[in-house]
């Protein structure tokens, strides 16, 4: 057992955690901190996911950090490029040595008497256990479960003589040459896999139960290409970044207010990409745009693959697996040597750690989110949860900056705790407003959100910039205390 105290503990060395460390380095020099990472490498999602074609589903001008311009030509980048960008950023800002690999946080217990967290860490390389203490705990582990994805059990799958693969754990030895491949799913992973597998396999079929909205986006941003010929990156980057923010915000707002119009627009664009295809069967979801996240395909690669006949799409339900493939409810049989279950992910709030307040476990579902980054009744604890309708990093940057502002405020006024409180009228709105299966399966275990600021998640970068970058740190949702004001056992879920 070891014991060490740090000002800040950052959990997770992915896009958010490295960003948090960079902000601490530049905005709070002298702050002692460490980044705890359960895996053997930084990068998070972009190091874990290695399936063919893995790429961003947001443009890199918004998925990249606000403080370090994305300089590559591709706006929609592949996983290796994103991973390299994260690694280069960590080196440039001097945070590489602050990362402690093979450190999985199991639990954290807040002591009101000492105004600090005691964090229990499992060493994933040795199996041992360590304890650390910190004044502030900042969770940047995202909300996906890394050790397993969501994979329903299919009738008769034990009879299948081929290979079943989940994209989250893609086998390095998988050779699809001459193989018949069925990809089950219609989300971002499936639409990424299909055009990439079609270059290897004899035949690829995308089997979906329900269609998704799919939009084509240029792989290289035309405005960025034009501006880079005339302006330096430090000027080009914010211009293109804000252009993309405003465009995506406008599309989301229009989708919420005029869903029929946006549905019609997407349908026309799809018909233009796939003349002669049965668009109403395969690309006409039964829900409105942005009830689930839109899928983006760079330069229409999925549509191009379908047009060329290198892959096909089937909208049906699975009746049972057979020895040689999948029997559908319609009576059709899909021959398959390999079935890829791109059936989604599982959520894991707070990186899977268990929180305690003076020894009493915190039930996340009984807390209320404050500004989408803290929990009512839980002192000196923050978390990065990115946008569901825009780039993850836009919100991550705002949260990481806000944490630095809060820490500055504590120091300047002699406070030792910052503790959100729940709204007096209560809160019962779901934390995430998406109909996606991975969200719906996990809502019961997530915090609630309120009906007004600062407890409401706007999912709007422009509003959040005003609130988190320029807004007051003191509002009705936050309380600050000095050490003399904090009696033992004071912390309780509000």
């Amino acid at each position: 057992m070891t014991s060490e105290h740090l000002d800040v503990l950052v959990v997770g060395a992915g896009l958010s955690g490295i960003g948090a460390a960079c902000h601490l380095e530049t905005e709070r020099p002298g702050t002692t901190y460490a980044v705890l990472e359960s895996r053997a490498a930084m990068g998070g999602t972009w190091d874990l996911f290695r399936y063919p074609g893995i790429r961003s589903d947001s443009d890199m001008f918004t998925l990249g950090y606000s403080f370090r311009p994305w300089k590559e030509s591709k706006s929609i980048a592949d996983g290796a490029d994103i991973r390299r960008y994260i690694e280069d950023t960590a080196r440039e800002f001097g945070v590489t040595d602050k990362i402690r690999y093979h450190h999985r946080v199991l639990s954290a217990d807040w002591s009101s008497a000492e105004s600090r967290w005691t964090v229990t860490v499992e060493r994933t390389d040795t199996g041992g256990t360590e304890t650390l203490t910190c004044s502030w705990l900042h969770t940047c582990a995202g909300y996906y479960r890394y050790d397993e994805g969501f994979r329903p059990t299919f009738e008769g799958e034990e009879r299948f003589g081929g290979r079943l693969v989940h994209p989250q754990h893609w086998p390095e030895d998988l050779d699809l040459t001459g193989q018949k491949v069925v990809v089950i799913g219609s989300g971002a992973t499936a639409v990424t896999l299909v055009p990439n597998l079609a270059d290897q396999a004899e035949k690829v079929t995308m089997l979906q139960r329900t269609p998704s909205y799919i939009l084509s986006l240029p792989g290289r941003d035309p405005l960025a290409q034009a501006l880079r010929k005339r302006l330096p990156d430090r000027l080009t980057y914010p211009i293109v970044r804000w252009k993309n923010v405003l465009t995506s915000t406008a599309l989301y707002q229009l989708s919420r207010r005029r869903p029929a119009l946006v549905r019609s627009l997407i349908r026309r664009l799809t018909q233009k990409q796939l003349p002669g295809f049965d668009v109403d069967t395969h690309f006409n979801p039964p829900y409105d745009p942005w009830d689930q996240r839109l899928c983006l395909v760079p330069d229409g690669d999925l549509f191009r693959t379908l047009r060329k006949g290198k892959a096909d799409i089937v909208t049906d339900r699975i009746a049972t697996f057979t020895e040689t493939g999948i029997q559908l409810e319609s009576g059709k049989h899909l021959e398959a040597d390999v079935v890829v279950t791109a059936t989604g992910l599982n959520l894991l709030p707070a990186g899977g750690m268990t929180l305690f307040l003076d020894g009493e476990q915190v039930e996340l579902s009984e807390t209320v989110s404050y500004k989408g980054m803290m929990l009512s009744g839980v002192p000196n604890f923050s978390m990065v949860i990115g946008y569901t309708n825009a780039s993850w990093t836009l919100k991550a940057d705002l949260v990481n900056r806000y944490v630095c502002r809060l820490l500055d405020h504590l120091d300047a006024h002699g406070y030792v705790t910052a503790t959100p409180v729940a709204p007096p009228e209560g809160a019962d709105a779901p934390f995430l407003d998406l109909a996606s299966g991975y969200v719906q399966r996990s809502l019961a275990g997530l915090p609630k959100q309120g009906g007004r600021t600062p407890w409401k998640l706007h999912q709007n970068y422009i509003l959040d910039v005003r609130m988190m970058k320029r807004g007051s740190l003191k509002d009705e949702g936050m309380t600050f205390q000095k050490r003399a004001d904090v009696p033992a056992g004071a912390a309780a879920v509000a």
Side-chain angles (χ1 to χ4, degrees), residues 101-361:
Y101 296 109
H102 299 291
H103 282 61
R104 175 183 287 121
V105 177
L106 301 178
S107 63
D109 192 351
W110 172 261
S111 167
S112 297
E114 298 179 323
S115 298
R116 64 172 53 183
W117 289 97
T118 297
V119 181
T120 302
V121 177
E122 176 191 26
R123 289 296 303 264
T124 57
D125 51 351
T126 66
T129 302
E130 299 178 1
T131 59
L132 302 166
T133 62
C134 63
S135 300
W136 192 280
L137 183 58
H138 188 40
T139 304
C140 299
Y143 53 38
Y144 292 135
R145 182 169 180 171
Y146 275 12
D147 59 344
E148 65 177 25
F150 176 70
R151 221 278 268 159
T153 300
F154 297 104
E155 180 71 28
E157 65 177 83
E158 70 282 355
R159 299 201 307 268
F160 180 53
R163 191 166 182 178
L164 280 167
V165 176
H166 194 285
Q168 190 162 330
H169 300 287
W170 194 266
E172 292 183 7
D173 64 345
L174 185 59
D175 182 3
L176 299 177
T177 305
Q179 302 283 289
K180 296 182 180 68
V181 181
V182 174
V183 178
I184 301 175
S186 61
T189 302
V191 303
T192 299
L193 276 167
V194 169
N196 284 277
L197 299 184
D199 291 333
Q200 309 171 35
E202 176 185 326
K203 180 180 181 182
V204 177
T205 300
M206 179 172 155
L207 172 60
Q208 59 180 14
R209 182 176 61 181
T210 306
S212 296
Y213 291 103
I214 301 176
L215 281 176
S216 176
L217 195 72
R220 288 172 169 79
D221 192 291
L223 179 61
Q225 289 183 299
L227 291 179
R228 278 172 170 165
K229 296 176 182 177
R230 300 170 175 83
L231 299 174
D233 284 325
R234 63 181 177 82
L235 297 179
T236 296
Y237 190 62
I239 293 172
V240 179
R241 184 179 174 91
W242 270 106
K243 182 266 293 184
N244 291 348
V245 166
L246 295 173
T247 300
S248 62
T249 301
L251 176 60
Y252 178 77
Q253 293 297 328
L254 187 61
S255 298
R256 297 286 83 184
R257 299 174 185 181
R258 300 283 301 278
L261 175 63
V262 176
R263 175 192 287 267
S264 176
L265 173 63
I266 295 174
R267 183 179 182 276
R268 288 200 302 271
L269 292 173
T270 305
Q271 284 181 317
K272 186 176 179 180
Q273 291 273 1
L274 295 172
F277 272 68
D278 187 356
V279 169
D280 287 331
T281 296
H282 303 306
F283 296 94
N284 186 30
Y287 52 85
D288 286 334
W290 275 117
D291 283 351
Q292 297 187 26
R293 191 175 174 100
L294 268 63
C295 293
L296 301 178
V297 292
D299 298 319
D301 61 356
L302 174 68
F303 299 133
R304 184 171 61 252
T305 301
L306 294 173
R307 281 198 311 269
K308 292 182 176 180
K310 299 171 69 175
D312 60 1
I313 184 168
V314 174
T315 303
D316 209 329
R317 290 177 176 267
I318 296 172
T320 184
F321 272 62
T322 68
E323 290 80 359
T324 60
I326 300 175
Q327 186 71 40
L328 304 177
E329 289 186 359
S330 64
K332 184 176 181 180
H333 186 268
L334 300 178
E335 295 288 329
D337 302 300
V338 177
V339 173
V340 181
T341 55
T343 47
L345 303 162
N346 288 317
L347 297 192
L348 191 67
M353 75 176 73
T354 305
L355 296 177
F356 296 88
L357 299 179
D358 295 313
E360 182 176 347
Q361 184 172 341

Side-chain angles (χ1 to χ4, degrees), residues 9 15 69-70 83 96 139 142 185 260 381 415 453:
L9 271 180
L15 198 58
W70 173 255
R83 187 169 64 251
T96 305
T139 304
F381 174 84
Y415 296 127
T453 303

Side-chain angles (χ1 to χ4, degrees), residues 427-443:
D428 57 6
F431 183 70
L432 297 174
D433 185 22
L434 278 183
S436 304
Y438 71 92
V439 172
Q440 295 300 311
R441 289 192 299 269
S442 306
L443 278 180

